[in-house]
Amino acid sequence: MADKVDILAIGAHAGDAEISSGLALCHHVNLGKKVAMLHLTLGEKGHKEMTPERYGELKRTEAEYAAKVISAKVYFLPYKDGELPVNDEVKFAIAEVIRECRPSIILGHWTKSIHKDHINAALNVPDAIFYAGIAGFRMKNPAHYAGTMYYAENWEDREDFVPEVYLEVTKDDIKLWEEMTSKYALFRGEVVKFPYVDYYRSLARVRGPETGYEYATAFMLPSGGHRRRVQSFL
Amino acid sequence: MADKVDILAIGAHAGDAEISSGLALCHHVNLGKKVAMLHLTLGEKGHKEMTPERYGELKRTEAEYAAKVISAKVYFLPYKDGELPVNDEVKFAIAEVIRECRPSIILGHWTKSIHKDHINAALNVPDAIFYAGIAGFRMKNPAHYAGTMYYAENWEDREDFVPEVYLEVTKDDIKLWEEMTSKYALFRGEVVKFPYVDYYRSLARVRGPETGYEYATAFMLPSGGHRRRVQSFL
Amino acid sequence: MADKVDILAIGAHAGDAEISSGLALCHHVNLGKKVAMLHLTLGEKGHKEMTPERYGELKRTEAEYAAKVISAKVYFLPYKDGELPVNDEVKFAIAEVIRECRPSIILGHWTKSIHKDHINAALNVPDAIFYAGIAGFRMKNPAHYAGTMYYAENWEDREDFVPEVYLEVTKDDIKLWEEMTSKYALFRGEVVKFPYVDYYRSLARVRGPETGYEYATAFMLPSGGHRRRVQSFL
Amino acid sequence: MADKVDILAIGAHAGDAEISSGLALCHHVNLGKKVAMLHLTLGEKGHKEMTPERYGELKRTEAEYAAKVISAKVYFLPYKDGELPVNDEVKFAIAEVIRECRPSIILGHWTKSIHKDHINAALNVPDAIFYAGIAGFRMKNPAHYAGTMYYAENWEDREDFVPEVYLEVTKDDIKLWEEMTSKYALFRGEVVKFPYVDYYRSLARVRGPETGYEYATAFMLPSGGHRRRVQSFL
Amino acid sequence: MADKVDILAIGAHAGDAEISSGLALCHHVNLGKKVAMLHLTLGEKGHKEMTPERYGELKRTEAEYAAKVISAKVYFLPYKDGELPVNDEVKFAIAEVIRECRPSIILGHWTKSIHKDHINAALNVPDAIFYAGIAGFRMKNPAHYAGTMYYAENWEDREDFVPEVYLEVTKDDIKLWEEMTSKYALFRGEVVKFPYVDYYRSLARVRGPETGYEYATAFMLPSGGHRRRVQSFL
Amino acid sequence: MADKVDILAIGAHAGDAEISSGLALCHHVNLGKKVAMLHLTLGEKGHKEMTPERYGELKRTEAEYAAKVISAKVYFLPYKDGELPVNDEVKFAIAEVIRECRPSIILGHWTKSIHKDHINAALNVPDAIFYAGIAGFRMKNPAHYAGTMYYAENWEDREDFVPEVYLEVTKDDIKLWEEMTSKYALFRGEVVKFPYVDYYRSLARVRGPETGYEYATAFMLPSGGHRRRVQSFL
């Protein structure tokens, strides 16, 4: 069994976890926490010139380099870009990773997206958390219940996304995140023209002041996540 | 200036604060906190036989007896049952009470109701909190900002009400609340047939188990109230 | 073919139909109507000490005893707790039960829940009703169209649930329901600490006064269920 | 005091009640029921060539002729087109009309509209019904509670309007409605180019088949209007 | 490879595309454009007397005659009425048709419907457009991206449907559409009593004046479809 | 009568129009268009040390200097900070300004805000546009209909705000906007700690890439604003 981590970030394609949950990961790494990333596909169809096979290999290598920057364990599932299904095979595979690295917190895609793999990632994760947490489901690793899930803010998953939990990040966190994301040709601007790093850095400067911080990265809560129980209002 | 209180409950009619925010008030009184109640009208038109004048006098006396049970300061505004307006006169009058008793927490009506006074109470309170908190508005008492507001669960204000903050209450809190509410003929079942005490006691037994308590009383957050700022997820 | 029933209640796990649709079933049984229950799984994974195999056997026996209390026909599908799929196999199996017992009314889970089996139960039922009603689908029993469906109020299925149809229940109905639910160790408090019977009894005392009854059990209508056609407003 | 009517239709401008609630009025008149109309303004600013004064006079005459076609009592409030306020003066004036003609059913504008007078009409009516129904409010006529309100379908009030109650209308009802609406130059196409009569006649042919009728006119229920209480599902 | 078309209309059952997207198709044919239709099932179970086999044959013939009226290429998928699944097999089959006829615009069912095949049609189409557009998915025909999709207004798919894009149609368009729909016994009133042609003709007379036309047929935009990018407001 | 402008931006407090609609104003000024600003209050209560009187004078001067930077006509209404009412006096005063400068486009506050003056500004403007456009309302200037309104994105008005219309802005537009906003002590960071200029500059870098631009400023459409009428889809 692997070492226990504090946070597991799950992305549809290699790069998704780093770019949209990455500031939160770097922030916690700088606080001394342990993190892991799970890529459900390599996102290998996104290159105009390279074949999926070749770009997939490159993405895998990039993902490993990126993970190394934050000393993260990195997991891959063998699904193909654009073809991530919603079914028990995927859910149990994610559940096994959860049981393996035993996170307290899971970060992932919001359920509404312009990309079908993002939607399907979001639809698989809650059941995976359920399967991982119930001992009655026999798997390689013993049951582990990852109690808390947050949806990451992602420019492709904006429909009905409302920022609810603002996590402060510092300039040092941003620097570490820039180093991590620079391992991907995609984020260095060599694949498509979307300015990923600038976009999310600017977004951190927007979310910060909204809640009294200099920089922040924002997440949404799952339904029911607003509920609080208290024994006093004071 | 009056003594500072911890919680101020605001109701449209004498009785509203006691019946729907009452369990929360009693709970905090049993924790040693100080509370106050503000009745925007006497609710004097609700009796089939007594004239509004006479029932109004009775309601005022009942409100004073009820407040005494929990050592609460009680305030009345001079508006008429069914005719509570939404305007700056009402808002500044509420603001003056807020400045007078300086609560940390305000409890009040949810904005959707089958009773127009309840709706109007809900529409006045946010601006009153704003006026009370800004020194630029000159009033008898100095500015006081009551930071947190919760909407109480009330059988007449159910449309779109979603319980979000569950406050645990104990059997002792319920006993104190029954003593307080028993001061009203309305809640003793002598005016209308709605079984107020049974209803809210049963509701406390429903809300409790929903969140792992034996009994609880639930409140809704104002818009924006879901937002949280954190420096770590762990 | 079995005898025709008036109402069929469908639950994800043995016990779900009894606890959340049970008051409605008992009420109609006391009115002389015939009812049936269909359990899509045994809910056999919910016991901390017993194995799923053993607890499953117990739950099946309990379900049969509970059904006997109200002279209900009881049906089981062979799906596993936590693994109820959404597919045509399940839908046709439910459809066959509908064609077998020919209910006028179907009661079931609301579509939003914290439990995935409840969600999946809710997603299967409408298509099952459709399949049961169309003669073009060849099955063992002839076509039967169960025209009306109601969603039961259930503490695990609360998200966006709005009570719309309030069915009056009497103390005698509650007594019968307590006898029926007492057949389950789960509802006697021997399995988990949630106070099922107290919760739903208190809920009946809340729903009743909301609509002028002493006790009531509330249901939600399917989309389109609000539509009414009239030939006069008077 | 006037004779009691069965239905009172309230419109922002003379013509609104006739055109959007008119089929329902004609249908009930053909069933032998009594109806009344209340015009909150004359809608006198809608003519490109006539002055408001002159067009107002014409509209008043047209309203009286139209009412005569269905033997309806017609009421006017003295507000100006485009300037209908939301306040207690308007609400009590409407309440007095309600007490005067004592309808069982009230038909009126939906709350979302492209025309501010329509919105304000919709905002005044619920409080007017409340004032009319409570004896504690002293007015010329004794209290009368008009229990049921429906929102009429109107091409200017379409935002979020959902047809919920479909009232069957016959060809004879449509013929009577065409006679009534023909009293207005506006509906004869002499003022603006919107083809009022064709529009609502076509709409009746759309709403009818949606619910199994040849022709129907559809209304929306007020919030809370979906709630039903039953003593049996069968 | 077939000739490129301008518009492809996709319906769950033969007849759906003609009846609800048909006015738009006829309008564009009258403008000299090329159109195609894809029927996902034959809708062969809808006849009370004919067997599905026989009615299916008839529907296929009718669909071919209808298409001929507007010189449309017509495609059929081999799914059975009432059993259209949501899966990659369906999605790739639709994608192949899209690649084959290369439309600029796709018209189809809205996602909320009283008919499960309509819902499933709506759930398959967006992924089919995605698959058709990405060269990485190897299929018989080369990739084609059909950029714009509109949801057609359909009396069975009304839940939450909001008309957003109004396409003007003329009397000549309606005449052509009546000729096309007359090829179906269903639309001649020989199968069920719903007055299809009258309903949609009346609806065109309703939608037209709502936006200043004599006749119009209305469509809804996919989520995100409201977004506009401009370089000047003027 | 003043010169006709292309765009009028309306803000609750001096500074609101500049900071949230300012990039759009600067963009159009750089395109050679004419713009104006209307400040409903001076926002004079926002300074911790200066009296409202003194800060009000300063804000007025700053507003004039800011307007000069973009050669804008600037209008002030005499309402007090925190006390902007919703009534016909305000609405007609705004209407008179609209008639005076005759804009084609109006930019203003979204209706949901944490600041009551912003909400009230948003509630007054639609009726003001209506009054300005109808000749029947006699005012100093002749009627002018400002057809199009957009809601500006503002960090205090975020509840339910959805960016819908993205206006590209250039680095030159941003430079002009920085010069304009620098006229306010508030935006130079001398009054409160919110980093206004950095916030909105970062937001422009977020909104741009979301729609394929380098920088953009986003607006929301009024209800009904999504509707489009077309004569061809192609």
Side-chain angles (χ1 to χ4, degrees):
Chain A
M1 207 187 299
D3 286 349
K4 183 191 177 335
V5 302
D6 296 292
I7 302 181
L8 170 66
I10 302 175
H13 313 98
D16 279 328
E18 291 88 340
I19 201 70
S20 67
S21 296
L23 281 168
L25 295 177
C26 290
H27 177 76
H28 286 92
V29 165
N30 279 338
L31 291 176
K33 304 298 178 187
K34 297 214 164 311
V35 304
M37 286 181 280
L38 165 58
H39 306 304
L40 303 179
T41 81
L42 290 170
E44 72 278 3
K45 289 203 187 77
H47 202 288
K48 294 248 162 78
E49 283 144 44
M50 287 192 206
T51 61
E53 291 69 28
R54 212 168 137 215
Y55 189 47
E57 269 176 55
L58 175 60
K59 293 270 323 255
R60 174 183 287 270
T61 309
E62 291 174 332
E64 282 162 354
Y65 276 100
K68 215 166 280 174
V69 172
I70 56 169
S71 306
K73 179 94 178 89
V74 60
Y75 298 91
F76 300 92
L77 292 192
Y79 293 96
K80 288 192 188 153
D81 189 0
E83 299 178 71
L84 180 70
V86 178
N87 63 33
D88 269 0
E89 188 196 75
V90 183
K91 292 170 188 178
F92 276 108
I94 299 172
E96 194 69 85
V97 172
I98 293 172
R99 287 187 173 195
E100 173 91 10
C101 66
R102 306 188 301 290
S104 304
I105 305 279
I106 289 180
L107 309 178
H109 288 282
W110 167 233
T111 56
K112 300 195 178 176
S113 177
I114 57 172
H115 198 302
K116 75 187 272 282
D117 287 338
H118 294 205
I119 296 170
N120 288 1
L123 294 176
N124 281 306
V125 170
D127 286 357
I129 293 174
F130 176 84
Y131 289 153
I134 304 279
F137 295 104
R138 312 257 161 74
M139 303 167 62
K140 260 180 26 201
N141 291 287
H144 170 77
Y145 184 57
T148 308
M149 210 223 135
Y150 299 104
Y151 297 116
E153 187 163 16
N154 183 311
W155 87 273
E156 293 176 296
D157 310 345
R158 279 179 303 149
E159 188 185 344
D160 294 338
F161 183 92
V162 177
E164 294 179 322
V165 182
Y166 289 75
L167 176 73
E168 186 180 30
V169 294
T170 65
K171 281 183 178 150
D172 279 354
D173 301 336
I174 295 174
K175 214 168 135 189
L176 181 61
W177 171 78
E178 288 174 354
E179 193 192 333
M180 174 175 65
T181 53
S182 74
K183 302 302 175 192
Y184 280 93
L186 180 65
F187 301 141
R188 291 192 309 267
E190 299 164 12
V191 180
V192 297
K193 71 171 189 159
F194 190 87
Y196 285 97
V197 173
D198 243 36
Y199 178 86
Y200 286 99
R201 196 200 296 110
S202 299
L203 187 59
R205 184 60 177 140
V206 167
R207 292 300 173 227
E210 285 177 358
T211 190
Y213 293 134
E214 191 172 358
Y215 297 98
T217 177
F219 292 80
M220 188 162 170
L221 294 165
S223 81
H226 300 137
R227 204 169 298 147
R228 302 178 198 173
R229 56 203 298 272
V230 297
Q231 291 175 298
S232 169
F233 280 157
L234 295 154
Chain B
M1 204 188 301
D3 287 350
K4 182 191 177 333
V5 302
D6 296 293
I7 303 181
L8 170 66
I10 302 175
H13 313 97
D16 279 329
E18 290 90 339
I19 201 70
S20 67
S21 295
L23 281 168
L25 295 177
C26 290
H27 177 75
H28 286 92
V29 166
N30 279 338
L31 291 175
K33 304 297 178 187
K34 295 214 166 311
V35 304
M37 285 183 280
L38 165 58
H39 305 305
L40 303 178
T41 81
L42 291 170
E44 72 278 4
K45 288 204 187 78
H47 202 289
K48 294 247 163 78
E49 283 142 43
M50 287 193 206
T51 60
E53 291 70 26
R54 214 168 135 216
Y55 189 45
E57 270 176 55
L58 176 60
K59 294 275 315 261
R60 174 183 287 270
T61 309
E62 291 174 332
E64 282 161 354
Y65 277 100
K68 215 165 282 173
V69 172
I70 56 168
S71 305
K73 178 95 177 88
V74 61
Y75 299 90
F76 300 93
L77 292 192
Y79 294 97
K80 288 194 188 149
D81 190 0
E83 299 178 69
L84 180 70
V86 178
N87 63 31
D88 270 0
E89 188 195 75
V90 184
K91 292 171 188 175
F92 276 108
I94 299 172
E96 194 69 86
V97 172
I98 293 172
R99 287 187 173 195
E100 173 92 9
C101 66
R102 307 188 299 291
S104 305
I105 306 278
I106 288 180
L107 309 178
H109 288 282
W110 168 232
T111 56
K112 302 196 178 176
S113 177
I114 57 172
H115 198 302
K116 74 187 272 282
D117 288 338
H118 294 204
I119 296 170
N120 288 1
L123 294 176
N124 281 307
V125 169
D127 286 356
I129 293 174
F130 174 83
Y131 289 153
I134 304 279
F137 295 104
R138 312 256 160 74
M139 303 167 61
K140 260 181 23 200
N141 291 287
H144 170 78
Y145 184 58
T148 308
M149 212 224 133
Y150 299 104
Y151 298 116
E153 187 163 16
N154 183 312
W155 88 273
E156 293 177 294
D157 310 345
R158 277 178 306 147
E159 189 185 344
D160 294 339
F161 183 92
V162 177
E164 294 179 324
V165 182
Y166 288 75
L167 177 73
E168 185 180 31
V169 294
T170 67
K171 281 182 180 152
D172 279 354
D173 301 336
I174 295 174
K175 214 169 135 188
L176 181 61
W177 170 78
E178 288 175 352
E179 193 192 333
M180 174 174 65
T181 53
S182 75
K183 302 302 175 192
Y184 281 94
L186 180 65
F187 301 141
R188 293 192 307 268
E190 299 164 12
V191 180
V192 298
K193 70 169 191 164
F194 190 88
Y196 285 97
V197 173
D198 243 37
Y199 178 86
Y200 286 99
R201 197 200 295 111
S202 299
L203 187 59
R205 184 60 177 140
V206 167
R207 292 300 173 226
E210 285 177 1
T211 190
Y213 292 134
E214 190 172 359
Y215 297 98
T217 178
F219 292 80
M220 189 162 168
L221 294 164
S223 82
H226 299 138
R227 205 169 297 147
R228 303 178 197 174
R229 55 202 300 270
V230 297
Q231 291 175 299
S232 169
F233 279 157
L234 296 155
Chain C
M1 206 188 300
D3 286 350
K4 184 191 176 335
V5 302
D6 296 292
I7 303 181
L8 170 66
I10 302 175
H13 313 97
D16 279 329
E18 291 89 339
I19 201 70
S20 66
S21 295
L23 281 168
L25 295 177
C26 291
H27 177 75
H28 287 91
V29 166
N30 279 338
L31 292 175
K33 304 298 178 187
K34 295 214 166 312
V35 304
M37 287 182 278
L38 164 58
H39 306 304
L40 303 178
T41 81
L42 291 169
E44 72 278 3
K45 288 204 186 78
H47 203 289
K48 294 249 161 77
E49 283 143 43
M50 285 192 207
T51 60
E53 290 70 26
R54 204 156 150 226
Y55 189 47
E57 270 175 55
L58 176 58
K59 294 272 320 258
R60 175 182 287 268
T61 309
E62 291 174 332
E64 282 162 354
Y65 277 100
K68 215 165 282 174
V69 173
I70 57 170
S71 306
K73 179 96 177 89
V74 61
Y75 298 91
F76 300 92
L77 292 192
Y79 294 95
K80 288 192 187 153
D81 189 1
E83 299 177 71
L84 180 70
V86 178
N87 63 33
D88 270 0
E89 188 195 75
V90 184
K91 292 170 188 176
F92 275 108
I94 299 172
E96 193 69 87
V97 172
I98 293 171
R99 288 187 172 195
E100 173 92 8
C101 66
R102 306 186 302 290
S104 305
I105 305 278
I106 289 180
L107 309 178
H109 289 281
W110 168 234
T111 57
K112 301 196 179 178
S113 176
I114 57 173
H115 198 304
K116 75 188 270 285
D117 286 339
H118 293 205
I119 296 170
N120 288 1
L123 294 176
N124 281 307
V125 169
D127 286 356
I129 293 174
F130 176 84
Y131 289 152
I134 304 279
F137 296 105
R138 312 256 161 73
M139 303 167 61
K140 261 179 26 200
N141 290 287
H144 170 78
Y145 185 58
T148 308
M149 212 225 132
Y150 299 105
Y151 298 116
E153 187 164 15
N154 183 311
W155 86 273
E156 293 177 294
D157 310 345
R158 280 179 302 150
E159 189 185 344
D160 293 339
F161 182 91
V162 177
E164 294 179 323
V165 182
Y166 289 74
L167 176 74
E168 185 180 31
V169 295
T170 66
K171 280 183 180 150
D172 279 354
D173 301 335
I174 295 174
K175 214 168 134 189
L176 181 61
W177 170 78
E178 287 174 353
E179 193 193 332
M180 174 175 65
T181 54
S182 75
K183 302 303 175 193
Y184 281 93
L186 179 65
F187 302 141
R188 292 192 309 266
E190 299 164 11
V191 179
V192 298
K193 70 171 188 160
F194 190 87
Y196 285 96
V197 173
D198 243 37
Y199 178 85
Y200 286 99
R201 199 200 293 110
S202 299
L203 187 58
R205 183 61 177 139
V206 167
R207 293 300 173 227
E210 285 178 359
T211 189
Y213 292 134
E214 190 172 358
Y215 298 97
T217 178
F219 292 80
M220 189 162 170
L221 294 165
S223 80
H226 300 136
R227 204 169 298 150
R228 301 178 198 174
R229 55 203 300 271
V230 297
Q231 290 174 299
S232 167
F233 280 157
L234 295 153
Chain D
M1 204 186 300
D3 286 351
K4 183 190 176 338
V5 302
D6 296 293
I7 302 180
L8 170 67
I10 302 176
H13 312 98
D16 279 329
E18 290 89 341
I19 201 70
S20 66
S21 296
L23 281 168
L25 295 178
C26 291
H27 177 75
H28 286 91
V29 165
N30 279 337
L31 291 176
K33 304 296 178 187
K34 296 213 165 309
V35 305
M37 285 182 279
L38 165 58
H39 307 304
L40 303 179
T41 81
L42 291 170
E44 73 278 4
K45 289 204 185 76
H47 204 288
K48 293 249 162 77
E49 283 143 44
M50 288 192 205
T51 61
E53 290 69 28
R54 206 156 146 227
Y55 189 46
E57 269 175 56
L58 176 59
K59 294 275 315 259
R60 174 183 289 269
T61 309
E62 292 174 331
E64 282 161 355
Y65 277 100
K68 216 165 283 174
V69 172
I70 57 169
S71 306
K73 178 95 178 87
V74 61
Y75 299 91
F76 299 93
L77 291 192
Y79 294 96
K80 288 194 187 148
D81 189 1
E83 299 178 69
L84 180 70
V86 178
N87 63 32
D88 270 359
E89 189 195 75
V90 184
K91 293 171 189 176
F92 276 107
I94 299 172
E96 194 69 86
V97 172
I98 293 172
R99 287 185 173 195
E100 174 90 8
C101 66
R102 306 186 302 290
S104 305
I105 305 278
I106 288 181
L107 308 178
H109 288 282
W110 168 232
T111 57
K112 301 196 177 177
S113 177
I114 56 172
H115 199 302
K116 75 188 271 283
D117 287 339
H118 293 205
I119 296 170
N120 288 1
L123 294 176
N124 281 307
V125 169
D127 286 356
I129 293 174
F130 175 84
Y131 289 153
I134 304 277
F137 295 102
R138 313 254 161 74
M139 302 168 61
K140 262 182 20 204
N141 290 287
H144 171 78
Y145 184 59
T148 307
M149 212 224 132
Y150 299 104
Y151 298 116
E153 187 163 15
N154 183 311
W155 86 273
E156 293 177 294
D157 310 345
R158 277 178 305 147
E159 188 184 344
D160 294 339
F161 183 92
V162 177
E164 293 178 325
V165 181
Y166 289 74
L167 177 74
E168 185 179 30
V169 294
T170 65
K171 280 182 179 152
D172 279 353
D173 302 335
I174 295 173
K175 214 169 134 188
L176 182 60
W177 171 78
E178 287 173 353
E179 192 192 334
M180 174 176 63
T181 54
S182 73
K183 302 302 175 193
Y184 281 93
L186 179 66
F187 302 141
R188 293 192 307 267
E190 299 164 13
V191 180
V192 297
K193 69 169 190 163
F194 190 87
Y196 285 97
V197 173
D198 242 36
Y199 178 86
Y200 286 99
R201 197 200 294 110
S202 300
L203 187 59
R205 183 62 177 140
V206 167
R207 294 299 174 226
E210 285 177 358
T211 189
Y213 292 133
E214 191 172 358
Y215 298 98
T217 177
F219 292 80
M220 188 162 168
L221 294 164
S223 80
H226 299 137
R227 205 168 296 149
R228 303 179 197 172
R229 55 203 299 271
V230 296
Q231 290 174 298
S232 168
F233 280 156
L234 295 153
Chain E
M1 207 187 300
D3 287 350
K4 183 190 177 336
V5 301
D6 296 293
I7 302 181
L8 170 66
I10 302 175
H13 313 98
D16 279 329
E18 290 89 340
I19 200 71
S20 66
S21 296
L23 281 168
L25 295 178
C26 291
H27 177 75
H28 286 92
V29 165
N30 279 338
L31 292 175
K33 305 297 178 185
K34 295 213 165 312
V35 304
M37 285 182 280
L38 165 58
H39 306 304
L40 303 180
T41 81
L42 291 170
E44 72 279 3
K45 289 203 186 77
H47 203 289
K48 293 251 163 74
E49 283 143 42
M50 286 191 206
T51 61
E53 290 68 27
R54 209 163 141 220
Y55 190 45
E57 270 175 54
L58 176 59
K59 295 271 320 256
R60 173 181 289 269
T61 309
E62 292 173 332
E64 282 161 354
Y65 277 99
K68 216 165 281 175
V69 172
I70 56 169
S71 306
K73 178 95 177 90
V74 61
Y75 299 91
F76 300 93
L77 292 192
Y79 294 96
K80 288 193 188 151
D81 189 1
E83 299 177 70
L84 180 69
V86 178
N87 63 31
D88 270 0
E89 189 195 74
V90 184
K91 292 171 189 176
F92 276 107
I94 299 171
E96 194 68 86
V97 172
I98 293 172
R99 287 187 173 194
E100 173 91 8
C101 66
R102 307 187 302 289
S104 305
I105 304 278
I106 288 180
L107 308 178
H109 288 282
W110 167 232
T111 56
K112 301 194 178 179
S113 176
I114 57 172
H115 198 303
K116 75 187 272 283
D117 286 339
H118 293 204
I119 297 171
N120 288 0
L123 294 175
N124 281 307
V125 170
D127 286 356
I129 293 174
F130 175 85
Y131 289 153
I134 305 277
F137 295 104
R138 313 255 161 73
M139 302 167 62
K140 260 178 27 200
N141 290 288
H144 171 78
Y145 184 58
T148 308
M149 211 225 133
Y150 299 104
Y151 298 116
E153 187 164 16
N154 184 311
W155 87 273
E156 294 177 295
D157 311 344
R158 279 178 304 148
E159 189 186 344
D160 294 338
F161 182 92
V162 177
E164 294 178 324
V165 182
Y166 289 74
L167 176 74
E168 185 179 32
V169 294
T170 65
K171 279 182 181 153
D172 279 353
D173 302 335
I174 295 173
K175 213 168 135 189
L176 181 60
W177 170 79
E178 287 173 352
E179 192 192 334
M180 173 173 66
T181 54
S182 74
K183 302 301 175 194
Y184 280 94
L186 180 65
F187 302 141
R188 293 192 307 267
E190 299 164 12
V191 181
V192 297
K193 70 170 189 161
F194 190 87
Y196 285 97
V197 173
D198 243 36
Y199 178 86
Y200 286 99
R201 198 200 294 109
S202 299
L203 187 59
R205 184 61 176 140
V206 166
R207 294 298 174 228
E210 285 177 358
T211 190
Y213 293 133
E214 190 172 358
Y215 298 98
T217 178
F219 292 80
M220 188 163 171
L221 295 165
S223 80
H226 300 137
R227 204 169 297 148
R228 302 179 199 173
R229 55 202 300 270
V230 296
Q231 289 174 299
S232 168
F233 281 157
L234 294 153
Chain F
M1 204 187 302
D3 286 350
K4 183 190 175 339
V5 301
D6 296 292
I7 302 181
L8 169 66
I10 302 176
H13 312 97
D16 279 329
E18 291 90 340
I19 201 69
S20 66
S21 295
L23 281 167
L25 295 177
C26 291
H27 177 74
H28 286 91
V29 166
N30 279 338
L31 292 176
K33 304 297 178 186
K34 296 215 165 309
V35 304
M37 286 182 279
L38 165 58
H39 306 305
L40 303 179
T41 81
L42 291 171
E44 71 278 3
K45 287 204 187 77
H47 203 288
K48 294 249 162 75
E49 282 142 43
M50 287 192 207
T51 60
E53 290 70 27
R54 217 172 130 212
Y55 189 46
E57 271 176 54
L58 176 59
K59 294 276 314 262
R60 175 182 287 269
T61 309
E62 291 173 332
E64 283 161 354
Y65 277 101
K68 214 164 284 174
V69 172
I70 57 169
S71 307
K73 179 95 176 89
V74 60
Y75 299 91
F76 300 92
L77 292 192
Y79 294 97
K80 288 194 188 150
D81 188 2
E83 299 177 69
L84 179 70
V86 178
N87 63 32
D88 269 0
E89 188 196 75
V90 184
K91 293 170 188 176
F92 276 108
I94 299 172
E96 194 69 86
V97 172
I98 293 171
R99 288 187 173 194
E100 174 91 9
C101 66
R102 306 186 301 291
S104 306
I105 305 278
I106 288 181
L107 309 178
H109 288 282
W110 168 233
T111 57
K112 301 196 177 177
S113 176
I114 57 172
H115 199 303
K116 75 189 271 284
D117 287 339
H118 294 205
I119 296 170
N120 288 1
L123 294 176
N124 281 307
V125 169
D127 286 357
I129 293 174
F130 175 84
Y131 289 153
I134 305 279
F137 296 103
R138 312 258 159 73
M139 303 168 60
K140 263 181 21 202
N141 291 286
H144 170 79
Y145 184 58
T148 307
M149 211 224 134
Y150 299 105
Y151 298 116
E153 187 164 15
N154 183 311
W155 86 274
E156 294 177 293
D157 310 345
R158 278 179 303 148
E159 190 185 344
D160 294 338
F161 183 92
V162 177
E164 293 178 324
V165 182
Y166 290 74
L167 176 73
E168 185 179 31
V169 295
T170 66
K171 279 182 180 152
D172 279 354
D173 301 336
I174 295 174
K175 213 169 135 188
L176 181 60
W177 171 78
E178 286 173 354
E179 192 192 334
M180 173 174 65
T181 54
S182 74
K183 302 302 175 193
Y184 280 94
L186 180 65
F187 301 142
R188 293 192 307 267
E190 299 164 13
V191 180
V192 298
K193 69 169 191 163
F194 190 87
Y196 284 97
V197 173
D198 242 37
Y199 178 85
Y200 285 99
R201 197 199 296 109
S202 299
L203 187 59
R205 184 61 177 139
V206 167
R207 293 301 174 226
E210 286 177 359
T211 189
Y213 292 135
E214 190 172 359
Y215 297 98
T217 178
F219 292 80
M220 188 162 168
L221 295 165
S223 81
H226 300 137
R227 205 168 297 148
R228 303 178 196 173
R229 55 203 299 271
V230 297
Q231 290 175 301
S232 168
F233 280 156
L234 294 154

